[in-house]
Amino acid sequence: MVKILRVVGQTEPIEVTSKKQEGQKIQKCIIRLKEIGDNYTEYVAIVLGNGATVKYQEGELVAADLSFSSHENQGVYYQDVLAREIVKIK
């Protein structure tokens, strides 16, 4: 799902071990994105790979392709949000 969103914040990228490729290291960061014109809807998404090294300014408009999945662990349900692609809007 592609949405136009505003950047609220972003963590510094860290290097993590990939679960899909043995011994491979990839970059990972967390980005907070907010719906435009909505004071309540905010997404906290994971960015992986080279996209995690791109810095976004607070308040910047972006088009983000978000992917949603959920899983259960010991009776607790979690939702994961993955930002597959983020493009700055000028």
Side-chain angles (χ1 to χ4, degrees):
M1 164 177 60
V2 177
K3 297 178 120 334
I4 305 297
L5 304 161
R6 186 173 309 280
V7 175
V8 176
Q10 178 182 8
T11 64
E12 290 296 321
I14 60 170
E15 192 172 79
V16 295
T17 303
S18 172
K19 292 182 180 179
K20 295 190 178 202
Q21 299 173 344
E22 289 183 20
Q24 293 287 339
K25 301 283 187 180
I26 60 171
Q27 297 292 317
K28 171 184 174 180
C29 79
I30 299 171
I31 190 165
R32 290 177 46 214
L33 303 167
K34 189 170 197 140
E35 290 268 355
I36 297 172
D38 185 346
N39 291 331
Y40 303 106
T41 305
E42 185 174 294
Y43 302 99
V44 178
I46 299 294
V47 183
L48 298 171
N50 292 334
T53 61
V54 178
K55 283 298 288 176
Y56 298 95
Q57 299 298 320
E58 186 175 328
E60 187 169 23
L61 289 178
V62 296
D65 182 12
L66 302 177
S67 172
F68 299 87
S69 63
S70 62
H71 65 278
E72 179 268 335
N73 185 15
Q74 297 181 354
V76 179
Y77 290 88
Y78 299 91
Q79 182 177 36
D80 299 321
V81 182
L82 175 66
R84 292 188 284 197
E85 184 176 10
I86 301 176
V87 178
K88 296 178 184 182
I89 297 176
K90 297 183 179 188

